[in-house]
Amino acid sequence: MYETTYHRASSIDDAVAQFAKGTDSKFLSGGQTLLPVMKQRLAAPSDVIDVAKIKDMIGIDVSGDTVTIKAATTHYDVAQSEAVQKAIPALAHLASMIGDPAVRHRGTIGGSLANNDPAADYPAAVLALGAVVKTNKRSIPAEDFFKGLFTTALEDGEMITAVSFPVPAKAGYAKMRHPASRFALTGVFVAKTKAGDVRVAATGASQSGVMRVAPIEQALKANWAASALDSVTIPASGLLADIHGSADYRANLVKVMGQRAVTAAG
Amino acid sequence: MIGVYTNTTPVDAYRGAGRPEASYLIERMMETAARQLKVDPAELRKKNFITAFPYQTPVIMAYDIGDFHASIDAAMKAIDYAGFPARKAKAKASGKLRGIGVSCYIEACGIAPSKAVGSLGAGVGLWESAEIRVNPVGTIEVLTGSHSHGQGHETTFCQIIAERLGVPISQVSIVHGDTDKVQFGMGTYGSRSLAVGGTAIVKAMEKVEAKAKKIAAHALEASESDIVIENGEFKVTGTDKSIALPMVALAAYTAHNLPDGMEPGLKETAFYDPTNFTFPAGAYICELEVDPGTGKTSFVNFVAADDFGRLINPMIVEGQVHGGLAQGIGQALLEGAVYDDTGQLVTASFMDYTMPRADDLPSFQLSHTTTLCPGNPLGVKGCGEAGAIGASAAVINAITDAIGNNKLEMPATPDRVWHAIHG
Ligand SMILES: Cc1cc2nc3c(=O)[nH]c(=O)nc-3n(C[C@H](O)[C@H](O)[C@H](O)COP(=O)(O)OP(=O)(O)OC[C@H]3O[C@@H](n4cnc5c(N)ncnc54)[C@H](O)[C@@H]3O)c2cc1C
């Protein structure tokens, strides 16, 4: 790791101000992605601004039809939250499937979304549920937030403060774990909104990161049942291929995980 | 055969070195033959077992003893082999492909007679050394050339001595790995530590005991042949006369009253060169389910019936088998060093290289059948590598049985298994 200067921010405003002072600043949340990357010397920020201790960044709020999770809330806290388990059980389940206990106790939803790893779990829920990413400057709808591999709509120095999820009528998440990293080899989140719309997002599958899956959405709109996907084929083109999963295998997983997510949603 | 130098090495010497590969090929062939002959795979193995010993193989090895039927029978009973078809049918009803796989192994351990390995081109002899120091207060230090890096020699070796003398294990300590102290030795590998290193300790102990008996007999004014060692004491049989080990040791070092011409001190060394290899053998059976949607394998049961000869410390043996099985299963399902076309190692971190973890493994069901090794005084064979040697064929035989396609490479990742099912 190269030398860096650590700052613990006391508030959201303080964090943004500290960030602006550094020549090449980075926000630090759970550190589960940033610190390994710094250790490998693939990142060398001049300053790291720790946002994980800011009171306004931690906590879960359910009001009416919206679940709001503040950005520095850990995966563990989301998984354990009775409020989330009740309002959007699929979201609590998703959080419980991230990595291992050590990662879940440190890693945060804001860090995960800012990082936008193509195999991360949260992006699938954010996109399928049509959530809104809140920053210190604005509210960004899920559609506009994810911009491809490790790329988001966030501007330099812009900080995620919370994510708001509309409570769906039904939702389910199914994930085939990467055998080594435990990220999603492919994960599919299916949601039926209270207005009756169907939204499906897959992570770990596409070369351009999290994606909506139109063929599955159409089939489920016609018939919300796992069997409705029996005749769906997912094209392998544009899908990721690596030593743990070829593109056609991932195409199969999009469908199979889609079916299992529908079964889980009920 | 073509040999090449490369710095993109796929594997290096590995637990069981050579035997996992050989055993895998043989047991995959046995399975394939059974399927083609439409004979039960366990039956085909039983038909072909060697039952008369010693058995000279066409290569250098002469099997000294074994009971392979006992191992496979124990494994079949433990897994309820007969009940498998019903379990398979039940699994099918819930959409899972269930398979069972047998693997019988025999391996050569206790390496090795120096003459034999010399004739095979080895550059060293494969004896082992031990030095035993009985200190003036009666505590015992064992200096061994068999280094302990997690195998528990500190316990097993001490047990051998404590049992022989009838002293508490706390009186005995093991010194290893310190070249300032320990005489030259050959080391720990090839499941040889107990069969060769342990025997060197026994040989040195025999010398120590012989001298100590002379001292005891002299002190007790008895005949040396009447001295027996019990509960840490040297006793004159049939009398109530005895002298405790610490007093014998003290007498050896004060040297005030030793038999005429005897050197003071109580310390002996032995170098032991085995006369044969040892041949641990066993039968492993694995039952598992494959999810046809994802190609993912889940274990239902894994039984291992091993014959390691005499077990000195069953808990340590169990730990060794667990570790070996984990490695064998890792090889079958998870692990592999992969380079891309430019020679870049793709599996360079544990985010990519799948090291087996506890939740990748079943709860193993272990048992033992015993034929005592005739080649060494302890009757032991070696247990360190068996798991890694026998496990991978059992797993692949079970998966190929489950999916009905015999063509499957290791590691059998979900991707590969799914392709083997669906093309
Ligand atoms: C072994 C292992 C297994 C894992 N398995 C999974 C898995 O199964 N599924 C999964 O989804 N993830 C997995 N992860 C990743 C994990 O979820 C991380 O927690 C997550 O990617 C990053 O969150 P973090 O809070 O640790 O962020 P950090 O590492 O602290 O930060 C990550 C990036 O986000 C930026 N950032 C952080 N907070 C903010 C903010 N509030 N606003 C703007 N930018 C910000 C940082 O500057 C940095 O660039 C795994 C990680 C490890 C090490």
Side-chain angles (χ1 to χ4, degrees):
Chain A
M1 192 184 281
Y2 292 108
E3 194 177 312
T4 188
T5 307
Y6 172 89
H7 309 267
R8 177 175 289 180
S10 56
S11 66
I12 292 170
D13 288 344
D14 181 38
V16 173
Q18 297 271 14
F19 189 101
K21 280 192 211 154
T23 50
D24 183 13
S25 302
K26 277 267 182 201
F27 293 117
L28 172 71
S29 192
Q32 296 304 291
T33 297
L34 184 58
L35 294 182
V37 168
M38 286 172 68
K39 282 187 200 162
Q40 290 168 326
R41 298 187 167 186
L42 295 171
S46 61
D47 299 78
V48 291
I49 322 295
D50 189 346
V51 301
K53 300 287 186 300
I54 301 172
K55 281 211 169 60
D56 287 347
M57 288 282 283
I58 302 166
I60 295 163
D61 180 52
V62 181
S63 62
D65 270 351
T66 309
V67 173
T68 301
I69 302 176
K70 292 183 181 155
T73 309
T74 63
H75 310 326
Y76 175 80
D77 284 343
V78 174
Q80 293 297 310
S81 159
E82 279 175 25
V84 178
Q85 284 169 3
K86 196 157 163 261
I88 319 177
L91 189 60
H93 171 66
L94 174 146
S96 79
M97 296 277 288
I98 295 175
D100 50 49
V103 168
R104 290 197 289 277
H105 275 86
R106 277 275 172 194
T108 67
I109 188 169
S112 177
L113 293 175
N115 191 49
N116 193 19
D117 189 299
D121 294 292
Y122 273 128
V126 168
L127 192 57
L129 290 168
V132 175
V133 179
K134 306 254 166 95
T135 76
N136 60 317
K137 291 184 181 164
R138 55 191 170 141
S139 291
I140 311 172
E143 261 72 21
D144 303 331
F145 182 79
F146 302 106
K147 299 282 185 195
L149 299 192
F150 299 104
T151 314
T152 67
L154 291 174
E155 289 161 8
D156 192 39
E158 186 174 7
M159 183 174 148
I160 301 177
T161 55
V163 190
S164 287
F165 295 91
V167 175
K170 283 179 175 186
Y173 183 62
K175 168 185 182 180
M176 179 71 181
R177 288 176 138 187
H178 182 291
S181 76
R182 310 270 156 116
F183 271 85
L185 196 57
T186 287
V188 175
F189 200 103
V190 300
K192 189 181 215 175
T193 67
K194 288 201 164 161
D197 196 14
V198 172
R199 295 170 61 102
V200 175
T203 186
S206 166
Q207 288 170 12
S208 23
V210 65
M211 63 169 182
R212 297 272 295 270
V213 192
I216 295 185
E217 290 182 348
Q218 278 149 23
L220 291 179
K221 251 176 227 163
N223 175 16
W224 179 268
S227 60
L229 305 188
D230 285 347
S231 54
V232 168
T233 359
I234 306 295
S237 66
L239 296 193
L240 290 164
D242 55 38
I243 58 169
H244 295 288
S246 51
D248 59 341
Y249 178 64
R250 280 187 160 89
N252 165 68
L253 284 182
V254 171
K255 172 173 158 172
V256 172
M257 292 301 123
Q259 288 176 313
R260 292 181 188 181
V262 174
T263 305
Chain B
M1 187 184 282
I2 302 172
V4 292
Y5 282 109
T6 176
N7 55 8
T8 53
T9 320
V11 283
D12 197 350
Y14 183 78
R15 198 172 195 158
R19 287 107 79 201
E21 296 83 349
S23 199
Y24 181 77
L25 291 180
I26 294 167
E27 286 306 283
R28 290 286 294 126
M29 275 196 286
M30 284 300 282
E31 193 70 26
T32 305
R35 287 175 195 170
Q36 288 183 10
L37 294 166
K38 301 203 177 356
V39 177
D40 178 81
E43 276 311 310
L44 187 62
R45 287 172 172 90
K46 286 187 182 191
K47 280 201 172 81
N48 286 280
F49 281 153
I50 293 161
T51 52
F53 299 93
Y55 181 89
Q56 179 62 54
T57 68
V59 285
I60 197 163
M61 303 296 169
Y63 297 153
D64 50 5
I65 200 163
D67 184 349
F68 313 134
H69 282 281
S71 300
I72 200 167
D73 288 345
M76 288 168 77
K77 186 158 176 253
I79 207 156
D80 181 19
Y81 193 79
F84 175 74
R87 298 195 295 276
K88 186 180 174 87
K90 204 169 159 208
K92 197 174 174 190
S94 57
K96 292 286 163 62
L97 307 173
R98 196 175 274 220
I100 197 161
V102 178
S103 163
C104 297
Y105 73 90
I106 183 161
E107 52 154 336
C109 292
I111 52 173
S114 297
K115 217 174 176 177
V117 296
S119 77
L120 295 172
V124 292
L126 290 178
W127 44 267
E128 193 48 87
S129 67
E131 180 177 313
I132 303 205
R133 296 178 183 171
V134 183
N135 297 318
V137 292
T139 57
I140 301 159
E141 265 180 306
V142 182
L143 288 77
T144 171
S146 300
H147 181 265
S148 180
H149 33 285
Q151 295 88 350
H153 298 170
E154 299 89 338
T155 305
T156 308
F157 289 173
C158 288
Q159 270 182 261
I160 296 174
I161 291 177
E163 275 167 28
R164 285 184 76 96
L165 297 177
V167 298
I169 199 165
S170 57
Q171 299 258 5
V172 190
S173 61
I174 300 290
V175 181
H176 66 87
D178 184 344
T179 50
D180 278 351
K181 288 188 185 157
V182 180
Q183 70 290 345
F184 197 68
M186 294 313 301
T188 292
Y189 45 86
S191 305
R192 70 193 297 272
S193 296
L194 190 54
V196 189
T199 301
I201 290 172
V202 169
K203 298 283 180 195
M205 271 308 285
E206 284 169 355
K207 294 186 193 176
V208 165
E209 287 163 10
K211 183 171 181 182
K213 278 183 180 175
K214 283 198 175 81
I215 297 170
H218 185 73
L220 297 168
E221 294 176 344
S223 155
E224 194 191 321
S225 58
D226 287 341
I227 303 289
V228 291
I229 307 172
E230 265 172 38
N231 298 327
E233 303 211 323
F234 291 72
K235 294 183 176 163
V236 184
T237 39
T239 74
D240 59 358
K241 288 205 286 182
S242 71
I243 176 170
L245 172 66
M247 299 313 291
V248 175
L250 189 62
Y253 289 96
T254 57
H256 295 162
N257 184 22
L258 290 177
D260 280 345
M262 180 183 273
E263 268 182 35
L266 195 50
K267 173 183 124 169
E268 298 289 348
T269 301
F271 285 74
Y272 170 69
D273 200 340
T275 51
N276 193 2
F277 295 80
T278 65
F279 300 97
Y284 294 171
I285 307 182
C286 167
E287 185 169 331
L288 49 73
E289 278 182 2
V290 173
D291 177 344
T294 61
K296 191 171 162 47
T297 297
S298 315
F299 288 99
V300 176
N301 204 348
F302 196 109
V303 303
D306 295 291
D307 180 355
F308 298 137
R310 187 153 87 97
L311 306 183
I312 306 265
N313 187 308
M315 190 182 76
I316 286 178
V317 170
E318 193 171 311
Q320 288 292 310
V321 177
H322 277 216
L325 291 175
Q327 246 172 299
I329 289 171
Q331 183 179 353
L333 294 181
L334 306 168
E335 298 179 70
V338 182
Y339 296 87
D340 71 11
D341 294 343
T342 64
Q344 177 76 29
L345 182 62
V346 184
T347 47
S349 89
F350 289 129
M351 294 298 266
D352 302 293
Y353 184 96
T354 316
M355 191 69 143
R357 281 177 272 202
D359 65 354
D360 293 315
L361 303 169
S363 264
F364 303 116
Q365 235 182 293
L366 309 189
S367 65
H368 301 279
T369 61
T370 305
T371 55
L372 293 180
C373 177
N376 62 63
L378 292 165
V380 300
K381 298 185 182 180
C383 67
E385 297 152 299
I389 293 166
S392 43
V395 174
I396 301 297
N397 284 342
I399 299 178
T400 52
D401 177 53
I403 65 177
N405 178 352
N406 202 25
K407 220 173 153 225
L408 188 63
E409 265 183 58
M410 294 193 290
T413 60
D415 184 357
R416 282 187 178 157
V417 174
W418 182 81
H419 276 103
I421 299 170
H422 301 280

